[in-house]
């Protein structure tokens, strides 16, 4: 059995707990939280420990899955925990992945551990599909469409606006752009032409709705470059109709082969997810299995999804995979 620990117990941590419960080759040793452990109730009644105790459990855990945020937690937490554990995280700040990789690799190399970073669906599964598609169709173009799904970061940005009590923001692909890519037309698309944003906002009583709408639509780095629709609804409507965290998207590569590029090809990988954190958790679990196997082989250092052979992810043996899946 692969002994797993969870650091952080929000939506992602609960998803990992669920995924472990469905994995016959894994057991959950415990959850580590910055909150008072007596106030944290897990779904499976596994033990909850203070983060301050985590180092003392290093001999009881084969792989530690870090479920904190990319902005403030993982940049320091992952390299620190890599001193004591094999670690997996879902760091998703794309521009800072090389820096994060270097920091985690240093800690892993010095302490003989495996770290696998930026595990999830984007970065993660989408990244793999971009790599496969580029390798197979070097003469072509990549396209990524996200949604329809809830953007938690954009929803949080709306909630920071004065007069907003709660909000959900959906990222939605522009269907005409998506269909053009599927037809192999290789369009040149601006940010505005690829996605729209739809916002459902609960405003405080007496709040200036026109100002809130304008603040949303003109917010740089979030909404200013998109066609954005704002709906004002009640808290009851938001809780009833927008309680889930769905997401997904499509990665495509449109390319050509032949001496005169006469033959067109489109590769498409699509995800439709009822629960973004639960799907991400399932990916994390697969890579936790890989980390354990790599260390059993005597490997060390930081890895990404690009470095892990697919067979390491699956619970079945190589013989079983060749017989049933190849």
């Amino acid at each position: 059995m692969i002994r797993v620990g969870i650091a952080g117990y929000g939506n992602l941590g609960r998803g990992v707990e669920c995924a472990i419960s469905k994995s016959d080759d894994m057991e959950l040793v415990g959850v580590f939280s910055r909150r008072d452990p007596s106030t944290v109730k897990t779904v499976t009644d596994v033990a909850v420990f203070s983060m301050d105790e985590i180092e003392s459990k290093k001999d009881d855990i084969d792989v530690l899955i870090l479920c904190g945020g990319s902005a403030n937690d993982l940049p320091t937490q992952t390299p620190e925990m890599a001193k004591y554990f094999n670690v997996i995280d879902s760091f998703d700040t794309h521009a800072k992945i090389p820096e994060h990789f270097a920091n985690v690799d240093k800690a892993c190399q010095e302490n003989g551990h495996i770290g696998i970073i930026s595990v999830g669906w984007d970065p993660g599964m989408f990244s793999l599909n971009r790599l496969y598609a580029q390798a197979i169709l070097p003469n072509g173009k990549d396209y990524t469409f996200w949604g329809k799904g809830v953007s938690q970061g954009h929803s949080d940005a709306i909630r920071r606006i004065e007069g907003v009590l709660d909000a959900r923001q959906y990222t939605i692909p522009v269907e005409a752009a998506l269909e053009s890519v599927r037809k192999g037309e290789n369009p040149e698309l601006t940010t505005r032409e690829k996605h729209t944003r739809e916002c459902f906002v609960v405003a405080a009583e007496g709040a200036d709705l026109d100002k809130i709408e304008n603040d949303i639509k003109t917010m740089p780095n979030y909404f200013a470059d998109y066609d954005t629709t704002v709906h004002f609804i009640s808290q009851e409507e938001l809780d009833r109709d927008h309680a889930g965290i769905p997401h997904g998207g499509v990665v495509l590569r449109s390319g050509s082969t032949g001496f005169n590029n006469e033959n067109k090809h489109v590769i498409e990988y699509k995800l439709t997810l009822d629960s973004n954190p639960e799907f991400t958790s399932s990916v994390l679990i697969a890579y936790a299995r890989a980390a354990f196997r790599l260390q059993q082989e005597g490997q060390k250092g930081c890895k990404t999804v690009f470095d892990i052979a697919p067979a390491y992810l699956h619970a079945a043996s190589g013989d079983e995979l060749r017989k049933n899946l190849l």
Side-chain angles (χ1 to χ4, degrees):
M1 296 290 284
I2 303 170
R3 302 169 300 170
V4 180
I6 296 173
Y9 195 64
N11 289 326
L12 189 60
R14 283 187 290 274
V16 171
E17 180 187 19
C18 177
I20 292 171
S21 74
K22 300 179 184 298
S23 302
D24 293 338
D25 59 341
M26 296 186 182
E27 61 177 336
L28 180 56
V29 173
V31 168
F32 298 87
S33 177
R34 286 177 295 206
R35 290 176 280 168
D36 179 351
S38 66
T39 68
V40 180
K41 175 67 173 173
T42 60
V43 177
T44 60
D45 291 325
V46 72
V48 181
F49 304 97
S50 168
M51 283 292 287
D52 296 336
E53 300 178 70
I54 197 166
E55 185 180 342
S56 68
K57 304 293 183 182
K58 62 182 180 181
D59 295 328
D60 301 327
I61 293 172
D62 296 312
V63 185
L64 181 68
I65 300 180
L66 300 166
C67 298
S70 296
N72 300 315
D73 299 324
L74 299 178
T76 55
Q77 200 176 68
T78 307
E80 180 62 26
M81 290 299 103
K83 297 176 182 178
Y84 313 108
F85 304 95
N86 299 312
V87 293
I88 312 289
D89 78 17
S90 57
F91 184 79
D92 65 359
T93 307
H94 289 264
K96 295 184 177 180
I97 286 176
E99 176 187 347
H100 186 55
F101 180 94
N103 292 336
V104 176
D105 188 56
K106 182 175 186 294
C108 286
Q109 295 286 357
E110 291 175 351
N111 295 279
H113 291 134
I114 291 287
I116 309 179
I117 66 161
S118 300
V119 171
W121 57 276
D122 198 3
M125 296 296 96
F126 274 16
S127 313
L128 275 178
N129 281 276
R130 293 184 193 106
L131 186 153
Y132 283 132
Q134 285 186 17
I136 293 163
L137 293 176
N139 184 36
K141 292 182 64 176
D142 289 328
Y143 298 89
T144 302
F145 294 87
W146 295 280
K148 180 179 178 179
V150 173
S151 172
Q152 296 180 79
H154 285 68
S155 299
D156 289 340
I158 297 172
R159 285 192 284 267
R160 291 196 295 267
I161 294 173
E162 183 179 357
V164 173
L165 300 178
D166 203 351
R168 296 290 186 280
Q169 187 270 319
Y170 292 87
T171 301
I172 305 170
V174 174
E175 197 62 33
L178 183 54
E179 286 307 309
S180 176
V181 175
R182 284 176 169 151
K183 291 175 183 176
E185 294 173 349
N186 291 349
E188 294 289 341
L189 298 170
T190 65
T191 296
R192 191 177 300 274
E193 290 170 331
K194 287 191 290 186
H195 296 92
T196 62
R197 298 195 179 276
E198 188 169 16
C199 310
F200 294 86
V201 180
V202 179
E205 186 174 350
D208 187 337
L209 302 188
D210 290 338
K211 182 178 186 303
I212 290 173
E213 182 170 353
N214 182 68
D215 287 348
I216 293 171
K217 290 183 173 181
T218 59
M219 190 184 297
N221 304 317
Y222 285 90
F223 298 100
D225 295 330
Y226 299 86
D227 289 335
T228 302
T229 304
V230 179
H231 308 278
F232 290 99
I233 61 175
S234 69
Q235 186 70 58
E236 290 75 20
E237 289 174 291
L238 191 77
D239 294 342
R240 183 191 68 211
D241 300 332
H242 305 281
I245 315 177
H247 220 314
V250 184
V251 171
L252 304 103
R253 185 163 179 85
S254 178
S256 59
T257 60
F259 288 105
N260 297 306
N261 295 321
E262 64 270 23
N263 295 310
K264 308 298 182 184
H265 313 277
V266 177
I267 299 171
E268 178 173 341
Y269 177 75
K270 181 180 180 181
L271 293 175
T272 303
L273 313 176
D274 273 356
S275 171
N276 179 356
E278 286 187 7
F279 184 85
T280 300
S281 300
S282 297
V283 184
L284 286 165
I285 286 299
Y287 280 89
R289 181 178 294 115
F292 175 76
R293 290 172 170 174
L294 290 170
Q295 202 200 37
Q296 293 293 102
E297 293 177 356
Q299 295 195 43
K300 63 179 181 179
C302 189
K303 314 287 184 184
T304 73
V305 296
F306 297 146
D307 307 305
I308 309 299
Y312 283 92
L313 306 177
H314 203 290
S317 69
D319 285 342
E320 291 172 313
L321 293 175
R322 286 185 289 274
K323 178 181 178 181
N324 298 320
L325 297 184
L326 194 58

